[in-house]
Amino acid sequence: MIREDITQYIEREIIPRYDGFDLAHRRDHVLTVIEQSMSIAQHYDVDMEMVYVIAAYHDTGLCHGREHHHTESKNIILGDHNLKQWFTTEQIEIMGDAAEDHRA
């Protein structure tokens, strides 16, 4: 379903970022969002790897504060050059937009 090198990267580099956030946005939060997103997505014709990444990154912008965290989450996705080994520029832009829109 999800390539192992992607999950290893997310588990090693992205999910631990949540350990330093407020109590409502810790590791358990992102793991729940990932699980629920993957569960919902299996009923649709979508790229499951993109869903996984969006869910994992959706609140990473909290490292810059709460007010604009959704926009910062998008910027973090767009700035993560490691994603280029798995996704096209267009896919990365879509994932960034989705992370930004999660607060809408």
Side-chain angles (χ1 to χ4, degrees):
M1 184 187 258
I2 308 297
R3 286 175 278 185
E4 188 162 334
D5 53 344
I6 295 174
T7 59
Q8 288 175 350
Y9 175 71
I10 297 295
E11 290 174 1
R12 184 182 67 245
E13 300 296 331
I14 305 307
I15 292 173
R17 296 179 187 192
Y18 287 79
D19 293 339
F21 296 156
D22 63 86
L23 292 176
H25 294 92
R26 294 278 168 99
R27 186 181 295 244
D28 61 331
H29 167 71
V30 71
L31 294 175
T32 298
V33 170
I34 290 169
E35 180 183 336
Q36 291 177 348
S37 297
M38 299 302 287
S39 178
I40 293 167
Q42 69 183 335
H43 301 289
Y44 298 93
D45 183 22
V46 295
D47 185 317
M48 296 297 282
E49 291 179 332
M50 289 176 65
V51 171
Y52 177 73
V53 169
I54 294 161
Y57 281 76
H58 83 282
D59 277 335
T60 53
L62 286 169
C63 64
H64 298 289
R66 179 123 179 90
E67 186 177 357
H68 300 288
H69 82 278
H70 54 298
T71 302
E72 294 299 333
S73 295
K74 175 183 182 172
N75 292 336
I76 289 169
I77 290 173
L78 296 180
D80 188 340
H81 299 290
N82 291 300
L83 294 175
K84 291 181 180 181
Q85 63 188 301
W86 302 297
F87 302 100
T88 66
T89 300
E90 181 181 10
Q91 288 173 309
I92 293 169
E93 290 173 6
I94 291 167
M95 291 187 293
D97 288 343
E100 182 177 40
D101 291 345
H102 90 273
R103 194 171 183 198

